[in-house]
Amino acid sequence: DVKVTQSSRYLVKRTGEKVFLECVQDMDHENMFWYRQDPGLGLRLIYFSYDVKMKEKGDIPEGYSVSREKKERFSLILESASTNQTSMYLCATNRVDNSPLHFGNGTRLTVT
Amino acid sequence: GQQLNQSPQSMFIQEGEDVSMNCTSSSIFNTWLWYKQEPGEGPVLLIALYKAGELTSNGRLTAQFGITRKDSFLNISASIPSDVGIYFCAGHDTGNQFYFGTGTSLTVIP
């Protein structure tokens, strides 16, 4: 079974702080994704990566950056957290094109 | 990105009843996926469909890939209290992009 682990379940940060969300997968998947999930808006893609050191912008990359230094780890960075970044953040992976996404348990981030 | 049309938005049903929900898209997909998400948790894959017309079951769950490749439905038979959660569909195109429905919130009344 695929295991996608997000380092924190709940985070509370202050406006302006730099925030790191970590995601680790144990199945050697090439592709990794970061989504945010908000009521009424569904899942929106922030960034994705198809390989180590590779990253692509999704639909809402503003205010975020990512890092993929190792195949199993994909980090989402909020350079200067703002209240409108309060959300549920979901990491997901898949093995090759056309295989299903497997999600982590999510990180609920609150920015005050 | 495109958001899929999923209906109904919410359902309140008695334990033992059957449930049906569906998703439609303006685009053709190669894969349809159905997920369940419980409060505070990440989505869990229920069923994956890879071919137009395909009908696949997973226990009390049955899903079908529409023949137009633009729709899919999920049925849950004989619902039980632990079926409570949000169910959402996802479509996958040739560019390895995923598109998601807005979810169906299911409440099962014992």
Side-chain angles (χ1 to χ4, degrees), chain B residues 26-93:
Chain B
S26 56
S27 306
I28 289 172
F29 289 131
N30 292 329
T31 304
W32 279 97
L33 308 167
W34 284 93
Y35 292 87
K36 179 187 178 186
Q37 187 174 20
E38 298 187 23
E41 303 288 329
V44 174
L45 180 68
L46 298 174
I47 292 179
L49 302 156
Y50 298 101
K51 204 165 67 170
E54 180 182 353
L55 185 72
T56 297
S57 293
N58 177 6
R60 293 178 295 105
L61 278 60
T62 302
Q64 184 157 30
F65 192 141
I67 56 172
T68 66
R69 296 170 63 193
K70 292 185 177 181
D71 63 327
S72 178
F73 72 75
L74 174 72
N75 286 343
I76 306 172
S77 63
S79 58
I80 59 178
S82 62
D83 290 334
V84 164
I86 297 177
Y87 294 79
F88 62 88
C89 61
H92 188 196
D93 67 12

Side-chain angles (χ1 to χ4, degrees), chain A residues 14-17 78 80-86 109-112:
Chain A
R14 293 194 183 275
T15 301
E17 278 192 77
L78 286 65
S80 177
S82 63
T83 54
N84 63 12
Q85 291 178 310
T86 291
L109 172 67
T110 302
V111 182
T112 63

Side-chain angles (χ1 to χ4, degrees), chain A residues 15-83:
Chain A
T15 301
E17 278 192 77
K18 190 168 186 175
V19 182
F20 293 86
L21 303 183
E22 306 285 348
C23 176
V24 177
Q25 50 105 353
D26 67 354
M27 285 301 290
D28 204 36
H29 284 186
E30 293 82 8
N31 306 329
M32 298 188 76
F33 305 77
W34 275 106
Y35 292 89
R36 64 177 282 178
Q37 185 179 35
D38 300 286
L41 297 177
L43 282 125
R44 293 181 291 168
L45 181 62
I46 305 171
Y47 267 97
F48 59 99
S49 170
Y50 290 154
D51 202 352
V52 176
K53 297 198 186 291
M54 177 270 179
K55 59 185 177 186
E56 293 282 348
K57 291 180 180 179
D59 298 318
I60 52 162
E62 297 78 19
Y64 303 95
S65 62
V66 290
S67 171
R68 192 157 181 208
E69 296 296 317
K70 294 185 178 181
K71 189 175 185 179
E72 67 270 19
R73 186 180 296 268
F74 193 35
S75 303
L76 179 69
I77 304 152
L78 286 65
E79 295 290 342
S80 177
S82 63
T83 54

Side-chain angles (χ1 to χ4, degrees), chain B residues 6-28:
Chain B
Q6 185 171 348
S7 65
Q9 273 192 319
S10 61
M11 303 182 75
F12 293 81
I13 61 167
Q14 292 288 134
E15 184 176 356
E17 287 184 10
D18 297 344
V19 171
S20 185
M21 59 192 80
N22 69 83
C23 270
T24 60
S25 165
S26 56
S27 306
I28 289 172

Side-chain angles (χ1 to χ4, degrees), chain A residues 72-105:
Chain A
E72 67 270 19
R73 186 180 296 268
F74 193 35
S75 303
L76 179 69
I77 304 152
L78 286 65
E79 295 290 342
S80 177
S82 63
T83 54
N84 63 12
Q85 291 178 310
T86 291
S87 186
M88 173 72 140
Y89 289 87
L90 291 164
C91 174
T93 77
N94 75 339
R95 184 169 46 83
V96 294
D97 289 357
N98 217 39
S99 72
L101 278 179
H102 295 271
F103 288 89
N105 267 338

